[in-house]
Amino acid sequence: MKIFPIPILCLVLLCFCAAFTEAEYLKYKDPKQPLNVRIKDLMMRMTIEEKIGQMSQIERKLASPDILKKYFIGSVLSGGGSVPAPKASAESWVNMVNELQKGALSTRLGIPMIYGIDAVHGHNNVYNATIFPHNVGLGVTRDPELLKRIGAATALEVRATGIQYAFAPCIAVCRDPRWGRCYESYSEDHKIVQSMTEIIPGLQGDLPNNSRKGVPFVAGKTKVAACAKHFVGDGGTVKGIDENNTVIDYNGLLSIHMPAYLDSIRKGVATVMVSYSSWNGKKMHANYDLVTGFLKNKLKFRGFVISDWQGIDKITDPPHSNYSYSVQAGVLAGLDMVMLPENFTEFIDELTSQVKTNIIPMSRINDAVRRILRVKFVMGLFENPLADLSLKNQLGSQEHRELAREAVRKSLVLLKNGKRANEPLVPLPKKVPKILVAGSHADNLGNQCGGWTMEWQGVQGNDLTVGTTILSAVKKTVDPSTQVVYTKNPDSNFVRTNKFSYAIVVVGEVPYAETFGDSKNLSIIEPGPSTIKNVCGAVKCIVVVVSGRPVVMEPYVAHIDALVAAWLPGTEGQGVADVLFGDYGFIGKLARTWFRSVDQLPMNAGDLHYDPLFPFGNVIGSCLNYNIYIPICMHDKKVDAI
Ligand SMILES: *[C@@H]1O[C@H](CO)[C@@H](O)[C@H](O)[C@H]1NC(C)=O
Ligand SMILES: *[C@@H]1O[C@H](CO)[C@@H](O)[C@H](O)[C@H]1NC(C)=O
Ligand SMILES: *[C@@H]1O[C@H](CO)[C@@H](O)[C@H](O)[C@H]1NC(C)=O
Ligand SMILES: *[C@@H]1O[C@H](CO)[C@@H](O)[C@H](O)[C@H]1NC(C)=O
Ligand SMILES: *[C@@H]1O[C@H](CO)[C@@H](O)[C@H](O)[C@H]1NC(C)=O
Ligand SMILES: *[C@@H]1O[C@H](CO)[C@@H](O)[C@H](O)[C@H]1NC(C)=O
């Protein structure tokens, strides 16, 4: 028997061990490898089926671990109101997402899926989450740092449920309040919208100093991938008709609707969603020049482009009338991930066949997959694909509710204060014998939250989630000796005979979303106008308007003593009472023009003919007119000395 000399034995063993580890070592799974090396290594291993699976985002109702495994699905979403169970807890969300994730991880290459949801004013599909004011109110605050904190809180609440991707922010520049999505827009002024993109580093984390332009960035397990939407011109459609045609020249598109995309990309936004709308008659979902030519090539956006819900179906009119064409036009225009709420196998089959017949070049598929994988690698999804319950107490936490309450305070706009200059009604006295609270929106959490809350279209009433109505906030704020009488729609005789010191009337719009919110008349619903008439005709009154946009007010404004725009404040109604009763000052300035009558529309600040009821930037009764508030008006500090 020949004895190997020791050094040779060592060498043999070494080779054996190296060969063994090499078999186990997958470069793409090594977080120490550079990003591009990981992407390249993984792409090299992928089949066409695996690549097209990555491009498919399916609705959770279609998803199961087996489906994810069988079709190599890259992403799952919850549509508005699509929840694992009514009033589901953080645990049941986490379990659902993790179960699906295990399906994805059990595939040959184990590429994790990314789960997306419309967390557009807080984590708004989830019971007991903090619901922040809708964007129309946040634009009023003109406070980017506040937006960043809201983004960070939202990211924590979304992660608390195991979800890694929020379809927010909407950076539409709404130019016509008749649009049913106007409340999703921060302002008619693109500069305000641009500054509000600070919510992106809140959601995703601060961009490292050495990051390259356009490269997406998401800071890990307490942050989520964000989505700037809807690219581009969604807020500029004719007469504010949802999903319609934005008629504007190239310079107009670039100077009004595009700027906030530059800010978002500079801040490392991970994804961009394409708009349903058309630009000068061309559907954005099929617009190669803007999606690929401008967004990807000129602006150097390196994250992924996602379609809207059935966005490719709607490339044709009627939708889905030529699906082959839709897939071809959408993917060739530059869509990387396609949102598929219905028949996802139809998409996969169609796209596969178009790639196999060279209608869609493989290079286009590779571009899409490279972008999707880049986001997944950057955010650490391969290292941390499964969620735990460590963040569950973040959902609706007291700290986040305090933040939302601060946002509510800063989003209120005082439009009128007293019938005469020297007779202001606000701040309302806390200690009086008896006050009246009235109106359809005084004790209605659902109305306060608006659309995209628990359900896509929102829900009326107080059972939808946990929060504070304006009525209960008023009761908590007044002196214990003050009697608060609440009547939804009192007649004038009741008001007159009751000897109220004053009345608070809360009226407005009922919840809506998207096309269902399109309105030609922008009138507040009955009995709102009657309540204003009955109450304000009989006693000194303040009207608080809860609405997703300016609404018709001119006929009533002379009869009311004070008027406040509260927008859609969300669950923390206490913020309204904080300011009405003077614990904090009014600091909000209109971020939209308040029209007199709908026939003036569209009418925006800077227009040649500008004759609003209340102008953009309106400060009536705020810091400038309100001596006592001057020291605090920029700071939302508590008023000590009233
Ligand atoms: C970027 O650099 C500045 C100073 O140049 C530093 O204050 C900041 O913390 C850095 N930010 C990050 C995210 O590294
Ligand atoms: C815009 O709306 C009109 C009226 O509803 C409709 O006929 C037209 O097809 C729409 N255009 C687009 C591009 O959606
Ligand atoms: C559908 O679109 C395809 C691809 O553009 C085209 O070849 C075909 O003729 C269209 N079919 C119909 C029925 O319009
Ligand atoms: C989905 O589309 C495929 C292919 O077009 C079709 O065969 C199938 O019946 C569709 N399934 C459903 C549930 O509509
Ligand atoms: C809501 O969340 C808070 C904070 O996590 C928790 O203390 C509370 O019990 C929850 N309420 C309900 C009704 O689930
Ligand atoms: C305003 O339009 C809506 C439909 O968008 C309609 O239901 C309502 O009755 C109209 N209101 C008035 C006062 O005309």
Side-chain angles (χ1 to χ4, degrees), residues 530-557:
S530 322
T531 313
I532 294 176
K533 211 177 307 152
N534 294 343
V535 177
C536 299
V539 67
K540 200 184 278 191
C541 82
I542 178 166
V543 173
V544 177
V545 182
V546 172
S547 64
R549 49 197 163 186
V551 288
V552 173
M553 267 297 136
E554 191 172 45
Y556 324 116
V557 77

